[in-house]
Amino acid sequence: MNPTGKKWLLGCGIGCGAVILLGILITVGGSLFMMGPFRDAIATREALDELYGDQASFTPPADGAVTADRVEAFLTVRDAIMELCADFQQTAAQFQAMDDLDEDANDREAMAEGFKLTREVIGMVPRMGKLYEARNVTLGEVEMGLGEYTYIYVMAYGREINPEDADDETVFGDKMASRRVREILRDMLRRQLNAALDADAQGQDLDDLRDRLVAEIEILEAEPERLPWQDGLPPAVAASLAPFRDRLDAGFCRETSGLELNQNQQRGLSIQGS
């Protein structure tokens, strides 16, 4: 995102991993109304945590592969997210239009784009609430916790989240996976390594994967900004996702990728996401 759009966004107090300062955008009464989807999403996520464990507790299978039924469940959630993707694309396009204004643009043009951008920024609050509500409600419907969703998301879209030829940044946040989420992912791999060691003890041949896990964890510890398997998925994981690749690609929304894995908490009249 270019500096002009980022200044507008930060000026409105909205960002991935930051407190959403609703009072800057609207009056207190309006903020209470617009926070409804956020409150509902938080309640649904807390119910998911009780049923399936919180985001940080998920342990991948010993070989890391995702079974077909879990990929199908994940794709159902993606369908719900994609219904909202166009709204976020519209907001991103308006930020870009503001950034693209020539320095010598007349006051009328600048004011017109400014009004459009202000309208989009105000609309971001309920849109983000609806995004989390759709994600969490659909996770409940497919009986999937946020931790499992996070693991599959990164396995499926790691190449999109950290493309070599693109900036790891979106309109809605500096990083597509927060520091907290990256730490959670490292811990997932550590638990997967323990599971692989147990599988070895039971006679399963996972020696190669075990060695790769050890090496990958060492890389992530040395470079905490990286995501797991950024240089390529293990064969078992890649093979489990390959039959669904076209559908997975069709279900990726870059404009929401900086928000997708967030976990929100309500603090007073604000929502904190990370």
Side-chain angles (χ1 to χ4, degrees):
M1 182 172 59
N2 293 328
T4 304
K6 181 176 288 188
K7 288 178 181 177
W8 272 82
L9 190 60
L10 293 177
C12 292
I14 297 180
C16 179
V19 175
I20 301 171
L21 302 177
L22 301 177
I24 292 177
L25 301 179
I26 47 180
T27 64
V28 172
S31 68
L32 291 174
F33 173 78
M34 297 175 76
M35 279 172 59
F38 276 106
R39 290 196 301 269
D40 293 342
I42 290 170
T44 306
R45 194 261 306 157
E46 290 174 345
L48 287 172
D49 290 352
E50 291 181 3
L51 287 171
Y52 307 110
D54 64 18
Q55 189 177 21
S57 66
F58 177 74
T59 299
D63 65 356
V66 186
T67 60
D69 63 313
R70 303 318 287 161
V71 181
E72 289 287 358
F74 177 81
L75 286 167
T76 298
V77 183
R78 299 312 309 155
D79 288 343
I81 296 297
M82 290 306 293
E83 291 180 7
L84 304 172
C85 184
D87 290 337
F88 287 87
Q89 290 173 336
Q90 177 179 315
T91 299
Q94 190 55 52
F95 272 98
Q96 190 61 52
M98 192 71 184
D99 288 336
D100 289 343
L101 276 180
D102 294 332
E103 292 185 2
D104 58 353
N106 61 51
D107 291 343
R108 178 175 296 181
E109 290 176 326
M111 184 173 295
E113 292 301 328
F115 277 127
K116 290 178 183 178
L117 184 56
T118 299
R119 183 176 59 194
E120 288 298 324
V121 168
I122 293 174
M124 283 167 58
V125 177
R127 286 175 187 171
M128 285 190 288
K130 290 178 181 178
L131 172 74
Y132 293 121
E133 187 176 23
R135 182 196 69 183
N136 295 346
V137 168
T138 312
L139 283 172
E141 291 173 351
V142 300
E143 300 182 347
M144 178 179 287
L146 184 55
E148 183 181 6
Y149 177 78
T150 298
Y151 174 76
I152 299 175
Y153 187 95
V154 174
M155 296 302 103
Y157 298 133
R159 65 182 187 178
E160 300 288 353
I161 293 174
N162 277 311
E164 294 181 358
D165 60 346
D167 191 9
D168 183 22
E169 184 175 334
T170 70
V171 169
F172 302 98
D174 289 340
K175 294 293 182 182
M176 294 187 182
S178 69
R179 177 184 297 179
R180 182 189 65 84
V181 171
R182 290 169 192 255
E183 290 174 353
I184 285 174
L185 290 163
R186 288 197 295 274
D187 286 341
M188 285 184 184
L189 261 62
R190 293 186 185 105
R191 291 195 297 275
Q192 182 187 347
L193 174 59
N194 290 333
L197 291 170
D198 290 342
D200 284 344
Q202 297 169 12
Q204 299 182 45
D205 184 12
L206 295 179
D207 287 349
D208 180 64
L209 175 62
R210 181 194 61 206
D211 292 342
R212 293 188 63 169
L213 281 166
V214 170
E216 186 69 17
I217 291 168
E218 289 177 351
I219 292 172
L220 295 177
E221 290 173 344
E223 302 178 47
E225 292 301 304
R226 288 173 62 98
L227 290 171
W229 310 120
Q230 190 172 312
D231 296 328
L233 295 172
V237 181
S240 69
L241 298 176
F244 303 92
R245 178 45 58 192
D246 289 345
R247 294 168 62 192
L248 287 167
D249 288 349
F252 179 73
C253 181
R254 177 173 175 78
E255 287 73 18
T256 62
S257 59
L259 304 169
E260 294 259 8
L261 305 181
N262 278 7
Q263 178 174 286
N264 299 307
Q265 302 284 345
Q266 183 171 349
R267 302 186 186 280
L269 293 179
S270 66
I271 301 293
Q272 183 175 2
S274 64

